[in-house]
Amino acid sequence: GAAGASGADTAMVDELRAKLLASTKELGIARQELSTLREEGSGGAASASALRAELERAQGAVAELEAKLSDAEKQLSARVEASSQFKNVRTMLAKKNELVKELRSKLQEAGVAVDDITAAED
């Protein structure tokens, strides 16, 4: 159930990231080609116009993929946070935090300086 859906969501996020990376590379190549044509002068005006259009298309594709990736990551995060396992871990962590507060309070009441105690000293 939830593990399969989560795996599919993760695969979708990974696929969107790969597409975004490819589009970003394509965008960089188009920018570089446009820059080269500008340096060469106006001899390639038609080619520069085509590259400019390609650059704009690539920028649009990158923006679209970034939006899709962001949405997919938000959906995945929402599903994880809604899962019973996540809620159980969150509840356990809250209980442990409360226990730590109580123990620190008891240590302070007993005269032990709790500022000097860290988790690494277990």
Side-chain angles (χ1 to χ4, degrees), residues 3 14 34 49-50 73 80 92 98 101 106 116 118 122:
D14 290 342
L34 182 59
S49 176
E73 287 174 336
V80 167
M92 288 180 355
E98 189 59 35
K101 287 179 188 177
K106 288 180 181 180
D116 297 336
T118 64
D122 288 311

Side-chain angles (χ1 to χ4, degrees), residues 93-104:
L93 184 58
K95 288 178 182 177
K96 293 294 181 183
N97 283 337
E98 189 59 35
L99 179 61
V100 168
K101 287 179 188 177
E102 290 174 17
L103 292 174
R104 285 183 184 269

Side-chain angles (χ1 to χ4, degrees), residues 22-94:
S23 292
T24 302
K25 287 180 181 178
E26 185 179 317
L27 180 61
I29 291 169
R31 283 183 176 156
Q32 189 175 22
E33 289 176 3
L34 182 59
S35 176
T36 301
L37 285 174
R38 283 183 179 158
E39 291 174 4
E40 291 175 357
S42 62
S47 182
S49 176
L51 275 176
R52 194 171 290 114
E54 176 66 19
L55 177 62
E56 290 172 3
R57 185 204 61 78
Q59 287 174 331
V62 166
E64 181 182 337
L65 285 170
E66 285 175 337
K68 284 182 181 179
L69 178 60
S70 177
D71 287 345
E73 287 174 336
K74 287 177 187 175
Q75 288 175 2
L76 183 59
S77 179
R79 284 189 180 151
V80 167
E81 290 180 15
S83 73
S84 60
Q85 295 94 339
F86 186 83
K87 289 177 182 177
N88 289 341
V89 169
R90 181 180 277 164
T91 301
M92 288 180 355
L93 184 58

